[in-house]
Amino acid sequence: MKSVMVCLAHSCTCPGLLLAWCLLLIPPSAKAISVSYKPNIVILFADDLGIGDLGCYGNDTIRTPNIDQLAKEGVKLTQHISAASVCTPSRAAFLTGRYPIRSGMVDSENFLVLHWLGGSGGLPPNETTFAKILQKQGYATGLIGKWHQGVNCEHRNDYCHHPLSHGFDYYYGMPFSLMGDCQITQPPEMDRALQIKLWSYTQMIALAIFTLVVAKLIHLVSISWKVIFLFALFGFLFFISWFSSYGFIRYWNCIVMRNYEITEQPMKVERAAPLMLKEAISFIERNKQGPFLLFFSFLHVHTPLVTTEKFVGKSKYGLYCDNVEEMDWIVGRILDELDNNNLKKSTLIYFTSDNGGHLEAREGNIQRGGWNGIYKGGKAMAGWEGGIRVPGLFRWTGMLPEGKVIDEPTSLMDIFPTLVYLAGGKVPQDRTIDGQDLMPLLRGLVQHSGHEFMFHYCGIYLHAVRWHQMDSGNVWKAHYVTPVFQPEGAGGCYETVFCVCSGKGVKHHNPPLLFELSRDPSEAVPLTPDTEPLFHVVLKRIEKALEEHRSTLTPVPEQMSLSNIVWKPWLQPCCGTFPFCCCDKEKEKDEHF
Ligand SMILES: *[C@@H]1O[C@H](CO)[C@@H](O)[C@H](O)[C@H]1NC(C)=O
Ligand SMILES: *[C@@H]1O[C@H](CO)[C@@H](O)[C@H](O)[C@H]1NC(C)=O
């Protein structure tokens, strides 16, 4: 009966007929499985991990036995695509099942991600995360680790973007993102381009105010002092944002929170991973009667690659590989905790990464970012496969096949409807959901994923479109815009560390660059009307799909606009009295590992 309900929840439009159809489809073994209808969900979410970094995706230097075990005991997706190639928009899409352009978690000015915990942008309160729906369905919901979806809107403690406002009952971790600035010994990572921009805005506004004041004094214009004052205030914001980007980032952005309470400011990065693991284990202990949702959002394998001593040098292939192996070990500890509590059959485990490896992360000649295998490009390169094709592993013992590999295009946005249906909930009907329920595909009940077209955005700009032509099995990809690599032909934006989405840093293509991924997965040789007879037909079909997609978009406020992204002292989460924010509420315990 339970399986019937699962099946119904998945696809029903016409109950009577479908019931019969569902009954036919359910293999006899599935009927006997004693899994509960609401499985526990454990999401293991890596940061900037490349698809080529894992043993189960072909890496033979890094050892990732625990993650490989998930692939062996479950389903491995080989064309699992994130909705953006950088974390803030990719994670927003993951949480909501919608392209980030629908929630406004994108920008038009090449900021790419949220830059300050004290900014006003973030996941809008009217967006619905899968956590919120699972919470309503009776799940205990916990998020441990990185968030990077904003904190406050209007004042210091409104928490409008905080995990606890988005469906999590429990939160422990970094509301921002780990970055070089968080570790005293590392060179700052805060975007130089942003600093320059902030400084030039400061100067421009100062000049404008000066002109206005002079013009008012000699009676050239009639403008009230109030307006000039507001203008000056605005200029002052840019000034302090610029000023704060030198040396204050560690205090402003690198903090740890437990629910609403700040426990470390600035955080001690070395103990973050052991504390997070401890939190995960105690969350499982507290909630093992189920059902629970544990979203474990790793700080691994983002630079500065904070790795405990036990793992430094362990891989013999450098700090990046050490860090991946430490992450794998943490995965193993969490799996042990589940298995030891007899939760193997009642828990769906999902492993993925927010975007591809960061090719430009280097220290001198030493690679500090991930490896995207045969795929071109990486983090912050929008359309190129290396930035968006990430690992996707599912294990649910007894319910999903073991050792199955699926090449169909799937999306990180699919997790939203998949989890909602498993929890017996309903997806919101008042908005477009771009994800598709994955259960029928994972279980082998259908052969094709529901994704015929996928749209690859960079900020608000569409860079590429993928067309999975179901009847032929071809996977076409048309690039309208690509980043300009520098130095030329280098395969990345090494001079600026990140590629951009618009302006001089990109090239527009007309006709678009067309590839067929099943023949040319590395996007090496663009097709032409001479080499591909279907060239114009394919582009025309893609063009039509793009038009249809665009007709479903409605304008929403940009969460990463300049006015939202700029640092606002009155929004800065602060432990103590602003601006003297400092605390350490974690006892110096070293019982980890
Ligand atoms: C394994 O990953 C490392 C680190 O990212 C990379 O340098 C190496 O080339 C990868 N090996 C294979 C065979 O993919
Ligand atoms: C959320 O609110 C914004 C306006 O603030 C609106 O544009 C958007 O459509 C709303 N989103 C949803 C899903 O209702």
Side-chain angles (χ1 to χ4, degrees):
M1 186 55 203
K2 279 166 182 167
S3 308
V4 175
M5 281 166 65
V6 175
C7 187
L8 274 177
H10 283 165
S11 45
C12 265
T13 40
C14 165
L17 248 177
L18 246 126
L19 185 65
W21 178 74
C22 278
L23 282 170
L24 280 177
L25 270 180
I26 295 165
S29 62
K31 282 185 198 158
I33 289 168
S34 64
V35 283
S36 64
Y37 177 54
K38 293 180 171 177
N40 304 313
I41 312 281
V42 174
I43 298 169
L44 305 166
F45 205 86
D47 195 359
D48 288 2
L49 180 78
I51 192 170
D53 285 329
L54 299 176
C56 53
Y57 284 92
N59 199 300
D60 54 11
T61 49
I62 306 185
R63 283 158 301 181
T64 53
N66 295 297
I67 298 169
D68 300 348
Q69 190 69 20
L70 287 177
K72 218 175 285 166
E73 296 177 353
V75 181
K76 174 171 91 173
L77 303 178
T78 62
Q79 198 180 159
H80 198 42
I81 306 295
S82 67
S85 61
V86 287
C87 63
T88 299
S90 163
R91 286 162 190 255
F94 174 67
L95 285 159
T96 60
R98 288 148 58 76
Y99 284 112
I101 194 157
R102 298 195 196 279
S103 56
M105 289 294 274
V106 285
D107 78 297
S108 50
E109 311 218 24
N110 291 323
F111 292 127
L112 307 179
V113 297
L114 295 170
H115 283 257
W116 300 105
L117 269 188
S120 51
L123 192 62
N126 66 354
E127 286 295 327
T128 303
T129 66
F130 54 75
K132 195 157 229 169
I133 298 177
L134 266 58
Q135 192 176 46
K136 282 209 191 93
Q137 294 300 115
Y139 274 69
T141 54
L143 168 64
I144 289 165
K146 168 171 170 170
W147 175 240
H148 212 177
Q149 301 289 306
V151 180
N152 295 314
C153 290
E154 283 168 7
H155 55 86
R156 196 176 321 284
N157 299 323
D158 66 32
Y159 302 113
C160 68
H161 305 303
H162 187 278
L164 296 199
S165 305
H166 275 299
F168 293 97
D169 319 323
Y170 184 73
Y171 175 56
Y172 178 84
M174 268 193 95
F176 198 67
S177 167
L178 190 64
M179 55 198 290
D181 307 80
C182 298
Q183 203 176 22
I184 305 172
T185 53
Q186 291 291 313
E189 191 182 327
M190 186 71 171
D191 195 359
R192 281 262 307 139
L194 177 71
Q195 286 177 337
I196 294 165
K197 211 175 215 174
L198 289 172
W199 182 231
S200 63
Y201 283 127
T202 307
Q203 289 173 308
M204 258 156 49
I205 296 174
L207 191 70
I209 292 168
F210 179 76
T211 318
L212 278 179
V213 170
V214 172
K216 185 176 169 66
L217 288 179
I218 59 173
H219 304 292
L220 257 177
V221 294
S222 60
I223 186 168
S224 81
W225 285 110
K226 211 171 142 194
V227 172
I228 296 186
F229 175 75
L230 281 177
F231 218 59
L233 196 70
F234 200 58
F236 183 66
L237 275 188
F238 281 99
F239 173 72
I240 46 180
S241 286
W242 167 77
F243 183 72
S244 288
S245 64
Y246 290 94
F248 286 91
I249 297 172
R250 205 163 69 86
Y251 280 87
W252 297 154
N253 283 348
C254 307
I255 71 171
V256 177
M257 289 177 108
R258 174 177 288 106
N259 297 327
Y260 294 130
E261 185 191 28
I262 299 173
T263 58
E264 296 179 51
Q265 185 170 21
M267 70 190 282
K268 300 225 172 17
V269 287
E270 296 75 21
R271 65 184 182 203
L275 285 174
M276 276 171 54
L277 176 57
K278 211 174 103 198
E279 288 282 339
I281 287 175
S282 89
F283 180 85
I284 296 171
E285 286 294 332
R286 287 199 304 277
N287 296 292
K288 59 187 173 194
Q289 75 291 351
F292 66 81
L293 161 73
L294 170 59
F295 181 178
F296 193 87
S297 177
F298 280 95
L299 305 183
H300 300 66
V301 293
H302 201 290
T303 49
L305 303 172
V306 180
T307 311
T308 45
E309 251 167 60
K310 199 180 145 197
F311 282 90
V312 173
K314 190 163 176 272
S315 73
K316 300 189 184 66
Y317 297 100
L319 189 58
Y320 181 81
C321 302
D322 296 344
N323 199 247
V324 176
E325 292 195 1
E326 182 180 58
M327 176 184 69
D328 179 75
W329 180 81
I330 294 173
V331 169
R333 291 289 307 270
I334 294 174
L335 296 185
D336 286 348
E337 177 65 20
L338 295 170
D339 295 354
N340 293 342
N341 278 304
N342 236 338
L343 297 172
K344 202 167 177 171
K345 288 195 167 169
S346 54
T347 305
L348 169 66
I349 300 170
Y350 169 58
F351 179 91
T352 194
S353 172
D354 57 355
N355 47 253
H358 186 193
L359 302 182
E360 296 94 341
R362 279 186 180 173
E363 229 176 284
N365 276 335
I366 303 165
Q367 190 61 28
R368 289 288 190 245
W371 171 251
N372 300 317
I374 59 168
Y375 303 107
K376 186 173 193 160
K379 180 181 181 178
M381 294 184 212
W384 293 121
E385 206 67 3
I388 51 176
R389 195 185 279 231
V390 292
L393 302 168
F394 291 84
R395 187 192 85 175
W396 184 1
T397 304
M399 192 58 143
L400 298 182
E402 293 187 12
K404 187 178 168 107
V405 180
I406 296 177
D407 299 325
E408 287 287 300
T410 55
S411 166
L412 268 69
M413 294 185 287
D414 296 341
I415 303 310
F416 180 93
T418 306
L419 299 192
V420 167
Y421 292 138
L422 283 175
K426 261 208 214 124
V427 300
Q429 301 297 308
D430 61 346
R431 64 197 72 184
T432 310
I433 302 291
D434 298 295
Q436 310 254 353
D437 181 14
L438 275 178
M439 264 342 239
L441 183 72
L442 296 177
R443 295 185 63 195
L445 303 179
V446 298
Q447 295 312 308
H448 288 304
S449 83
H451 291 285
E452 193 178 2
F453 293 93
M454 281 190 193
F455 304 93
H456 306 304
Y457 281 92
C458 192
I460 63 165
Y461 306 99
L462 181 99
H463 276 203
V465 179
R466 170 190 314 253
W467 177 27
H468 179 220
Q469 200 183 355
M470 306 265 179
D471 46 7
S472 70
N474 286 332
V475 181
W476 305 98
K477 198 157 132 205
H479 293 259
Y480 294 85
V481 182
T482 55
V484 177
F485 292 151
Q486 11 91 7
E488 217 186 305
C493 301
Y494 289 92
E495 277 153 29
T496 49
V497 187
F498 283 109
C499 293
V500 294
C501 301
S502 62
K504 285 191 209 111
V506 300
K507 189 167 186 236
H508 293 258
H509 302 277
N510 189 12
L513 297 180
L514 183 68
F515 300 94
E516 201 279 286
L517 297 182
S518 62
R519 276 174 278 158
D520 181 11
S522 307
E523 298 168 280
V525 188
L527 301 168
T528 64
D530 295 333
T531 58
E532 178 52 64
L534 292 174
F535 189 87
H536 293 294
V537 179
V538 169
L539 287 183
K540 216 166 153 201
R541 181 66 192 93
I542 287 179
E543 215 37 73
K544 184 162 169 270
L546 188 52
E547 230 164 78
E548 281 164 17
H549 165 70
R550 286 201 163 122
S551 74
T552 68
L553 298 177
T554 47
V556 291
E558 228 180 79
Q559 296 298 319
M560 289 187 276
S561 65
L562 195 58
S563 62
N564 274 328
I565 210 162
V566 67
W567 184 64
K568 297 173 179 164
W570 61 91
L571 296 184
Q572 174 62 46
C574 178
C575 193
T577 313
F578 188 82
F580 308 102
C581 315
C582 191
C583 63
D584 181 0
K585 296 180 185 166
E586 269 329 315
K587 277 181 256 125
E588 294 273 0
K589 275 183 285 189
D590 237 41
E591 50 174 52
H592 55 278
F593 298 155

